[in-house]
Amino acid sequence: MESMFSSPAEAALQREAGMPGLLTPLPDLDRVYELERVAGFVRDLGCERVALQFPDQLLGDAVAVAARLEETTGSKMFILGDTAYGSCCVDVLGAEQAGAQAVIHFGPACLSPPARPLPVTFVLCQRSVALELCVKAFEAQNPDPKAPVVLLSEPACAHALEALATLLRPRYLDLLVSSPAFPLPVGSLSPEPKPLERFGRRFPLAPGRRLEEYGAFYVGGSKASPDPDLDPDLSRLLLGWAPGQPFSSCCPDTGKTQDEGARAGRLRARRRYLVERARDARVVGLLVGTLGVAQHREALAHLRNLTQAAGKRSYVLALGRPTPAKLANFPEVDVFVLLACPLGALAPQLSGSFFQPILAPCELEAACNPAWPPPGLAPHLTHYADLLPGSPFHVPLPPSESELWETPDVSLITGDLRPPPAWKSSNDHGSLALTPRPQLELAESSPAGKCTSLHSQLSFFSRCSALRLSPLPLQPHSLVPGAGKGWSPAWVRHQ
């Protein structure tokens, strides 16, 4: 029964990390990984133990980078090479278990605020950009010099945007340059006026201007990429960008351009289909896809309240990284919703691999909240924090007496008339909420059963028998860093 939900513990030790990527030449190591800036960050904080987080494709350089930093700073370096969820998120849990006082994140990052106040700095690993080729590509895609355009890029090319804008500004009058939205250092004052932050980027808009007025020119991607549709960062931009504005991309190596309008249309059509699937669903599986991003507990409570108000049943599942084999154990679940960072929720998923679709939180919001989307707001948000109270995009559920709940609704998939939901709201999230414990990062507390230790058996609600499940023993080392991809424990809770 254990193998249905997780791989054996030995699989984490036997699994190969995959292709580590090409090794960076030693003379270029300081430039690519910005070791001088990183060493200054460590010395300024006075850290004795520092965690270095690398994605799989950069692990080949991890030992050389760690040795160089230990030599220049005198601090002890720990390499975090395998995260429980997405490598784009800061692994604060693994860093704390190593006793690290700070984290240095290398490679692509979603720039989501971590759940713990741990000092973090990001190294995006600069990629070379052929500026002259990009200038010619920009001029070919934007013949009107007065049209407003935003310069965007993948994280590794962000360092070249200002240089590219310098070459373009003599001709183009309304050019806006975005920059990565790095978290501000603790204790620093935010600039006034604050620039607009969206899609993990900052946009220094002039007073009275709106981002929806601008077209976009994206520098990133690769000619060797087998499928450009598998880039979650570009997908996030295409989903949230104003549909009526042009959007083009440019390969930084060759200058080859592509109009992304058709791809944006496919992504939006796919999202509309997922919203319809969520509206037809009676049972929703809420997949816990992060424990290190801020406000994930509040977002989980928000999604549970959404499903309950819409008259749907929901299950909270913590299975590590979702795989078709794991999710196939829940045939009664109609759709799954992945609660993860903006890039994790749009991570590549091979079509046809999963038996049921996996949605982002925004799709569930559109399906269960009849007041969504409000006029003038982007219909496709990519971060669950935008749906919570306090965000300018938050839309509260209509009251029970609202006519919105009685509006006739016909499924665009089956053609059947959907019955109005039996409106109900739950304000008591304490009895079933995820509660922290000193030794555990995720535990279940409920009147029906509790997890008392890592060696204890899970106790399920009586109605979980509908899922044909049996209690699972948790592995005694289920929270050891580095075991995230090979296997993971399973928690299930019925609402």
Side-chain angles (χ1 to χ4, degrees):
M1 178 65 71
E2 176 188 352
S3 61
M4 292 184 179
F5 297 94
S6 61
S7 306
E10 294 77 9
L13 302 177
Q14 299 172 359
R15 183 182 58 83
E16 296 182 2
M19 295 297 294
L22 297 176
L23 296 180
T24 303
L26 291 180
D28 297 336
L29 209 63
D30 290 359
R31 175 186 59 84
V32 173
Y33 290 96
E34 304 177 45
L35 297 187
E36 184 177 353
R37 179 177 69 85
V38 171
F41 169 79
V42 175
R43 285 193 293 261
D44 291 343
L45 292 177
C47 300
E48 298 180 358
R49 300 165 68 90
V50 180
L52 308 180
Q53 182 179 344
F54 290 85
D56 285 351
Q57 65 269 22
L58 299 180
L59 277 177
D61 294 330
V63 175
V65 171
R68 189 76 61 88
L69 289 175
E70 284 189 346
E71 180 182 353
T72 55
T73 64
S75 303
K76 185 67 175 177
M77 301 292 163
F78 295 84
I79 296 175
L80 305 179
D82 188 12
T83 56
Y85 297 103
S87 59
C88 62
C89 303
V90 179
D91 189 8
V92 291
L93 302 182
E96 287 186 349
Q97 289 182 358
Q101 299 165 305
V103 179
I104 302 172
H105 185 284
F106 296 93
C110 60
L111 301 180
S112 302
R116 311 290 180 87
L118 198 65
V120 180
T121 189
F122 295 89
V123 178
L124 301 179
C125 300
Q126 298 180 2
R127 176 182 176 185
S128 61
V129 178
L131 292 178
E132 295 298 332
L133 295 178
C134 292
V135 167
K136 294 180 181 179
F138 185 94
E139 293 173 346
Q141 291 291 323
N142 301 275
D144 185 3
K146 297 182 180 179
V149 183
V150 177
L151 288 180
L152 304 163
S153 75
E154 66 178 37
C157 299
H159 66 95
L161 288 187
E162 279 294 345
L164 179 60
T166 302
L167 298 176
L168 292 172
R169 282 197 174 106
R171 179 183 175 188
Y172 291 89
L173 307 178
D174 197 351
L175 196 63
L176 189 66
V177 181
S178 65
S179 60
F182 293 116
L184 296 176
V186 178
S188 62
L189 298 177
S190 59
E192 294 293 342
K194 293 181 62 177
L196 174 69
E197 288 192 13
R198 200 175 296 178
F199 316 118
R201 295 164 171 85
R202 292 192 176 99
F203 300 90
L205 289 171
R209 301 300 300 272
R210 299 170 60 246
L211 189 60
E212 290 76 12
E213 302 172 3
Y214 285 79
F217 184 81
Y218 179 87
V219 179
S222 171
K223 63 179 181 179
S225 178
D227 189 354
D229 288 347
L230 300 184
D231 184 357
D233 182 60
L234 183 55
S235 298
R236 167 170 62 166
L237 290 168
L238 292 177
L239 282 171
W241 209 259
Q245 295 296 339
F247 197 112
S248 58
S249 63
C250 171
C251 177
D253 303 320
T254 64
K256 181 180 179 180
T257 59
Q258 181 176 349
D259 186 358
E260 299 291 348
R263 182 181 173 215
R266 292 197 306 268
L267 288 172
R268 295 189 183 101
R270 171 68 177 170
R271 295 303 158 188
R272 287 192 291 269
Y273 166 76
L274 292 177
V275 170
E276 287 299 311
R277 288 293 301 268
R279 286 171 177 164
D280 289 340
R282 297 180 179 272
V283 181
V284 178
L286 304 178
L287 301 176
V288 179
T290 180
L291 295 177
V293 179
Q295 294 185 295
H296 66 273
R297 301 179 190 275
E298 295 85 349
L300 182 60
H302 175 74
L303 297 183
R304 290 177 58 237
N305 192 33
L306 271 178
T307 55
Q308 192 171 13
K312 305 178 187 296
R313 289 186 298 161
S314 65
Y315 294 86
V316 177
L317 309 175
L319 306 172
R321 296 191 181 185
T323 63
K326 292 178 183 178
L327 301 188
N329 290 281
F330 306 96
E332 285 79 5
V333 175
D334 298 318
V335 295
F336 294 93
V337 180
L338 181 59
L339 182 68
C341 71
L343 298 185
L346 299 174
Q349 298 170 6
L350 298 179
S351 59
S353 298
F354 292 92
F355 292 93
Q356 299 293 355
I358 300 180
L359 286 67
C362 179
E363 279 82 64
L364 186 66
E365 180 84 27
C368 297
N369 188 348
W372 179 271
L377 292 184
H380 295 290
L381 302 176
T382 54
H383 190 17
Y384 60 73
D386 293 330
L387 306 174
L388 300 179
S391 166
F393 300 102
H394 172 68
V395 179
L397 286 170
S400 57
E401 61 274 8
S402 173
E403 296 181 355
L404 294 175
W405 295 103
E406 303 298 331
T407 303
D409 189 16
V410 177
S411 171
L412 299 181
I413 297 177
T414 64
D416 298 334
L417 181 66
R418 298 190 187 102
W423 197 98
K424 52 182 178 180
S425 177
S426 173
N427 295 323
D428 181 17
H429 302 300
S431 61
L432 295 178
L434 298 177
T435 57
R437 294 191 177 189
Q439 293 83 16
L440 295 177
E441 293 302 332
L442 182 64
E444 176 180 343
S445 176
S446 69
K450 293 184 178 181
C451 293
T452 58
S453 70
L454 284 174
H455 301 277
S456 65
Q457 299 286 338
L458 287 177
S459 299
F460 293 101
F461 289 86
S462 60
R463 281 180 288 178
C464 281
S465 60
L467 286 179
R468 297 190 284 276
L469 300 176
S470 300
L472 306 178
L474 288 181
Q475 295 291 340
H477 49 292
S478 59
L479 294 178
V480 173
K485 292 181 182 176
W487 63 280
S488 59
W491 288 269
V492 182
R493 182 169 63 251
H494 177 268
Q495 174 178 308

